[in-house]
Amino acid sequence: MISRIYILSLIFLMSFYACKRENRLEETQPNTEVKTSIVESMMNSSFERDSTLTAQKVDLLFVYSENQIDTLIGFCNCEKNVKTNTLKIQIRTEFPSLSELEKGNRSSTIFQMGVDRQFRFLTFYLRDSTVEKTKLFKASTESQFENEKVDSASFQNYNLKINRFNYEIAQNVWGTYEIVLLNHFGYTSSDYRLVGSFHCNNWKIVEFEELLQWTIKGEKFIE
């Protein structure tokens, strides 16, 4: 019953938030028209603990481009190792494939069956109070990454805040992030900046070697 209520609530929120466009950069954001100025403003990456952070009921990912803000739903899995106090935080989101985006289709693909879609996996690899590495994994049901269905890149410009450095209980870990990419995210042609929140779910993350499993266009949505 609880899971059914959660799914219904999520579907309602998706209808309101997912793929929402907000043309209000002039009111809320500095000008992001020039990519180099964005990157320069975030050259010093940071990772800090902030115990005042509160967990969000639904994690959203805000995608900033030249003259708009798009809102996507984020799903967070976290893979812990208690002995080494390490944690892999992975925020997954999805949206229509490149060919669908080029047609102007920006409808949510979450819980849809048999549709062309692509996935993004923002991944932080943590040890104690250190970010050991970062990855952005990409997968699509189309061969859209230089004729490949999967792609991978690192990102170096980020501000990550987390509520604790003890990762023994993954569900007790949450936080916020801001990322500036050197190559665009892929929802639009100029989306280099990402802002969002995450709340860990104790589960295995997706590594690059497993991405091909997410490229199959089936009759069931991928969980």
Side-chain angles (χ1 to χ4, degrees):
M1 182 64 179
I2 295 176
S3 61
R4 180 178 298 176
I5 294 173
Y6 173 78
I7 292 173
L8 289 174
S9 300
L10 184 58
I11 292 174
F12 171 78
L13 286 165
M14 283 174 0
S15 66
F16 182 78
Y17 285 112
C19 304
K20 176 183 176 185
R21 293 197 158 197
E22 301 181 37
N23 297 314
R24 53 183 177 84
L25 278 179
E26 292 183 0
E27 298 178 3
T28 60
Q29 281 303 126
N31 183 14
T32 58
E33 184 173 356
V34 182
K35 172 188 169 185
T36 54
S37 66
I38 305 175
V39 175
E40 288 172 359
S41 69
M42 284 191 62
M43 288 303 293
N44 295 320
S45 294
S46 64
F47 176 39
E48 60 184 281
R49 184 177 70 87
D50 184 348
S51 60
T52 67
L53 291 171
T54 57
Q56 302 300 304
K57 292 183 179 179
V58 176
D59 288 317
L60 302 177
L61 194 162
F62 299 97
V63 182
Y64 291 76
S65 51
E66 289 184 359
N67 49 19
Q68 67 196 38
I69 306 171
D70 294 290
T71 308
L72 302 173
I73 298 289
F75 299 91
C76 181
N77 285 341
C78 295
E79 187 176 334
K80 68 180 181 181
N81 186 317
V82 175
K83 291 183 179 180
T84 58
N85 196 41
T86 57
L87 187 69
K88 302 173 185 178
I89 299 174
Q90 186 169 79
I91 301 100
R92 168 174 59 88
T93 193
E94 64 176 84
F95 45 86
S97 64
L98 179 60
S99 67
E100 290 297 314
L101 291 175
E102 290 174 342
K103 296 175 188 175
N105 177 14
R106 297 186 178 275
S107 300
S108 173
T109 57
I110 299 175
F111 299 139
Q112 300 299 311
M113 294 182 288
V115 299
D116 283 312
R117 73 189 79 201
Q118 53 182 315
F119 301 90
R120 297 293 183 272
F121 303 83
L122 290 165
T123 313
F124 295 91
Y125 297 79
L126 310 182
R127 180 186 296 272
D128 300 324
S129 59
T130 302
V131 178
E132 293 193 318
K133 65 177 179 178
T134 61
K135 287 291 182 180
L136 172 57
F137 298 135
K138 303 178 182 181
S140 175
T141 56
E142 298 179 343
S143 298
Q144 63 181 63
F145 309 113
E146 297 184 352
N147 295 321
E148 298 291 339
K149 289 188 174 183
V150 299
D151 194 14
S152 173
S154 298
F155 53 90
Q156 304 300 324
N157 300 295
Y158 58 85
N159 291 322
L160 176 64
K161 292 184 178 180
I162 199 167
N163 67 318
R164 66 183 64 225
F165 287 148
N166 184 331
Y167 310 132
E168 184 175 0
I169 303 175
Q171 292 93 333
N172 289 343
V173 178
W174 54 77
T176 63
Y177 57 90
E178 180 176 9
I179 300 169
V180 173
L181 303 170
L182 292 177
N183 297 302
H184 70 97
F185 187 62
Y187 190 67
T188 71
S189 61
S190 60
D191 51 358
Y192 296 98
R193 183 183 172 208
L194 311 171
V195 176
S197 64
F198 64 90
H199 186 178
C200 279
N201 177 25
N202 187 21
W203 199 249
K204 187 179 183 298
I205 72 164
V206 177
E207 296 287 6
F208 181 77
E209 295 76 16
E210 302 166 289
L211 285 180
L212 284 177
Q213 300 175 25
W214 293 77
T215 66
I216 301 169
K217 181 182 175 183
E219 292 305 313
K220 296 182 179 180
F221 62 84
I222 302 175
E223 300 184 60

